[in-house]
Amino acid sequence: MTQWLLVMPIFIPLLTATACAFSFRKQSLSSVISWTGAIANLLVAILLIQTVIANGLQVTAFGDWKAPFGIVFVADLLSSSMVLITAIIGIAIVLYSTADLRSKPFYAIYHSLIHALLAGVMGSFLTGDIFNLYVFFEVMLITSFGLMVLGANKAQVDAAVKYVVLNLISTMVFLLAIGLLYGATGTLNMADLHAKVAELSDTTMMLISGLFLFGFAIKASAFPVFSWLPASYHHLPSAIVALYAALLTKVGVYALIRVFTIVFDLVDSGYQPLLIVIAGLTMLTGVLGAASQFNIKRILSFHIISQIGYMLMGFAIYTPLAITGAIFYIIHHIIVKANLFLIGGFLKRKQGSDNLRELGGAYSAMPWLALLFLIPAFSLAGFPPLSGFWGKFLVIKASLQTEEYLLAATALFVGLMTIYSMTKIWAEAFWKPLPENAPAPVTLSWQENCLYITPIAALAVITILIGFMVEPIYQLAETSAMNLLNPQPYINAVLGGDSISHTAPLSANGIAGGSH
């Protein structure tokens, strides 16, 4: 049962991708296949996290080859949570795409690539082997490039080239680090590496861990290697960029957190001070870039960078509370950022542009959309009691506890600038009158409106639920953080091939009152 449960989040998207590819001449059939696959994946993701919560960490070794010699998949509370949230985003994107891209000739192939990309993301979260992490990164790179050039115009091809070149650099550095690590230790199983890396000389460990840090920084779009993201994302169809914004950079952050807790210790690696600086500069440069833009997609693309900075900030501080905040922030940001791009795409479909100078009157024409925009916008800016407030509260509190006052001040300033960006979108797109020279608004059918609005409304509801029912998500994040900082149970389970229970969180007294 365990083996199939850990395989299904990858097998179902791959099977769905294959079926969609074979149905490329029948758009209605490909839609049904895509919906069915997305729903099946969500059900499996729910079953997986329920199993982990009830029975502890789940491990499966394929072909009766026990770790560290065989391929191992591992589901702990963090990875199963990421699988679940990926499945939720998958359903939202599939539903939205049915309205947004159904008229395109590449519609069926698009769905095929979407599910193949989801398989790569799920595999990255579940693998217990660094080489297979590289393999799943490659699956994501190939499928994401394929999505970028489907029906591409000149601007999209230019964006795709920038995206691929910089990500290929990341891939080559990652592969080089893997080769050096295997040569130095003779293994690539993460659990097995924990002890063997500790035996390396300081120089060797710093070299190899530095290569991993550089490779993951590009994937995560951290300072100063983030230029590929704002140069490419704004040219993409809204459904595709929402999927990328939600998941791709978060896989980079997840890999960084996983490798620099189980394989390397961030403090022992010597890169903690550097990562603190990177986190602050990522926040700052991202939000300043967003403030200078007048295109919705470009504003939101730069804000991906600034919000990645908060996640890196939490991890770089490297205390239980800080890593709890980083995990909480990842969960919040996946939902919120995808939703903002979906709303921006809907505005463009209705009003023919996503340039703020050509938009206006959306509040009077669609007051319900204005409300749905305010929820993720306020959450991204950190307004209480929405989800973004709690994530920022946790990482800023942790920075104050560790006397990283400059980092805390940077985070607060970035929050204020985020409010400025969200207010600019509100004032220009929703509040001001529609300009006389603006394109004529498009009237959509009732069915199209439903397909657009349903995923937007569902993600807005999830954002509210995370904010108002913060305790379960906090406990999930706190337990995950403690398991990362105390990896020995993970190591014992993987190398022994048995399921174990998670370690209990240090505190269950709530965010404000917990002792950390």
Side-chain angles (χ1 to χ4, degrees):
M1 174 64 178
T2 298
Q3 181 169 344
W4 284 105
L5 191 56
L6 267 67
V7 171
M8 293 306 283
I10 302 162
F11 176 75
I12 290 174
L14 289 178
L15 181 63
T16 306
T18 304
C20 287
F22 279 106
S23 64
F24 71 96
R25 295 184 184 276
K26 299 179 180 180
Q27 290 190 348
S28 296
L29 178 59
S30 63
S31 293
V32 172
I33 293 171
S34 186
W35 294 342
T36 303
I39 293 170
N41 220 28
L42 177 61
L43 295 176
V44 168
I46 293 171
L47 180 60
L48 177 61
I49 194 169
Q50 286 178 337
T51 303
V52 170
I53 291 172
N55 302 318
L57 187 148
Q58 302 293 304
V59 180
T60 185
F62 296 94
D64 291 329
W65 286 87
K66 300 297 183 182
F69 305 106
I71 295 174
V72 175
F73 280 6
V74 187
D76 60 5
L77 196 55
L78 176 58
S79 58
S80 59
S81 301
M82 298 305 293
V83 166
L84 176 59
I85 202 165
T86 300
I88 292 171
I89 294 297
I91 286 185
I93 298 302
V94 166
L95 192 61
Y96 187 94
S97 303
T98 306
D100 200 46
L101 298 173
R102 191 180 182 90
S103 61
K104 304 294 183 181
F106 55 77
Y107 180 74
I109 300 301
Y110 161 81
H111 278 285
S112 180
L113 290 173
I114 283 290
H115 287 281
L117 178 62
L118 291 174
V121 174
M122 301 277 196
S124 299
F125 292 144
L126 291 174
T127 184
D129 180 279
I130 285 189
F131 183 77
N132 285 320
L133 178 62
Y134 162 77
V135 170
F136 286 118
F137 268 33
E138 286 302 285
V139 172
M140 290 190 297
L141 178 61
I142 293 168
T143 53
S144 59
F145 179 69
L147 286 166
M148 294 184 84
V149 297
L150 279 179
N153 52 35
K154 183 179 179 181
Q156 276 184 253
V157 172
D158 178 67
V161 170
K162 295 172 183 175
Y163 173 84
V164 169
V165 168
L166 286 171
N167 275 276
L168 281 177
I169 294 173
S170 170
T171 296
M172 288 188 290
V173 172
F174 188 15
L175 190 58
L176 175 61
I178 289 173
L180 292 174
L181 185 62
Y182 184 74
T185 62
T187 183
L188 291 175
N189 181 280
M190 293 188 197
D192 195 36
L193 281 167
H194 181 77
K196 293 188 176 181
V197 163
E199 298 172 0
L200 299 177
S201 67
D202 290 344
T203 302
T204 302
M205 185 176 68
M206 284 197 68
L207 171 63
I208 297 174
S209 61
L211 290 172
F212 277 112
L213 178 61
F214 181 74
F216 293 148
I218 295 178
K219 294 290 185 184
S221 192
F223 180 89
V225 286
F226 57 74
S227 60
W228 60 270
L229 193 155
S232 59
Y233 273 22
H234 67 285
H235 292 296
L236 302 177
S238 299
I240 295 176
V241 72
L243 180 66
Y244 287 12
L247 298 177
L248 295 191
T249 51
K250 311 314 178 302
V251 175
V253 175
Y254 172 88
L256 179 69
I257 292 174
R258 183 68 79 180
V259 170
F260 278 85
T261 50
I262 294 176
V263 179
F264 305 100
D265 182 278
L266 180 62
V267 177
D268 293 343
S269 73
Y271 289 108
Q272 186 187 19
L274 175 62
L275 192 58
I276 288 175
V277 174
I278 289 173
L281 291 175
T282 302
M283 285 188 286
L284 193 59
T285 53
V287 81
L288 292 178
S292 65
Q293 303 300 317
F294 255 80
N295 177 285
I296 292 178
K297 284 183 182 176
R298 288 186 68 89
I299 292 172
L300 297 178
S301 295
F302 274 103
H303 272 299
I304 297 172
I305 298 166
S306 71
Q307 304 301 306
I308 289 295
Y310 283 98
M311 303 168 205
L312 295 179
M313 172 184 173
F315 181 60
I317 294 170
Y318 212 68
T319 64
L321 180 63
I323 297 179
T324 298
I327 294 170
F328 194 106
Y329 208 94
I330 291 172
I331 294 171
H332 135 79
H333 190 260
I334 288 174
I335 298 294
V336 165
K337 183 56 70 173
N339 205 10
L340 285 170
F341 273 107
L342 295 182
I343 293 170
F346 183 66
L347 274 173
K348 183 176 181 179
R349 179 68 189 278
K350 290 284 289 185
Q351 299 196 348
S353 175
D354 57 3
N355 188 316
L356 293 178
R357 295 182 177 90
E358 299 175 355
L359 294 174
Y363 176 78
S364 58
M366 300 172 288
W368 43 270
L369 184 65
L371 175 61
L372 291 174
F373 168 77
L374 286 178
I375 293 169
F378 279 5
S379 183
L380 189 74
F383 278 74
L386 296 170
S387 58
F389 167 77
W390 301 111
K392 289 183 179 180
F393 173 80
L394 289 170
V395 295
I396 292 173
K397 180 181 179 182
S399 66
L400 294 175
Q401 287 180 346
T402 55
E403 300 182 355
E404 295 286 350
Y405 299 122
L406 181 59
L407 191 61
T410 302
L412 291 170
F413 172 76
V414 170
L416 291 174
M417 292 299 293
T418 304
I419 295 173
Y420 166 75
S421 293
M422 295 301 104
T423 303
K424 180 166 68 174
I425 294 175
W426 169 264
E428 296 290 331
F430 289 91
W431 194 248
K432 81 172 189 222
L434 185 66
E436 293 181 0
N437 60 344
V442 176
T443 301
L444 301 178
S445 68
W446 178 85
Q447 183 183 21
E448 285 180 309
N449 277 315
C450 285
L451 289 171
Y452 275 116
I453 295 304
T454 300
I456 292 173
L459 294 179
V461 169
I462 293 173
T463 300
I464 294 172
L465 289 176
I466 294 174
F468 282 88
M469 302 174 62
V470 65
E471 183 67 16
I473 308 299
Y474 172 76
Q475 291 297 330
L476 181 151
E478 185 184 41
T479 304
S480 298
M482 294 310 306
N483 290 332
L484 289 168
L485 292 172
N486 177 30
Q488 198 58 50
Y490 175 101
I491 294 164
N492 294 340
V494 172
L495 297 181
D498 300 320
S499 299
I500 64 164
S501 297
H502 283 285
T503 55
L506 285 183
S507 171
N509 297 327
I511 296 174
S515 57
H516 299 276

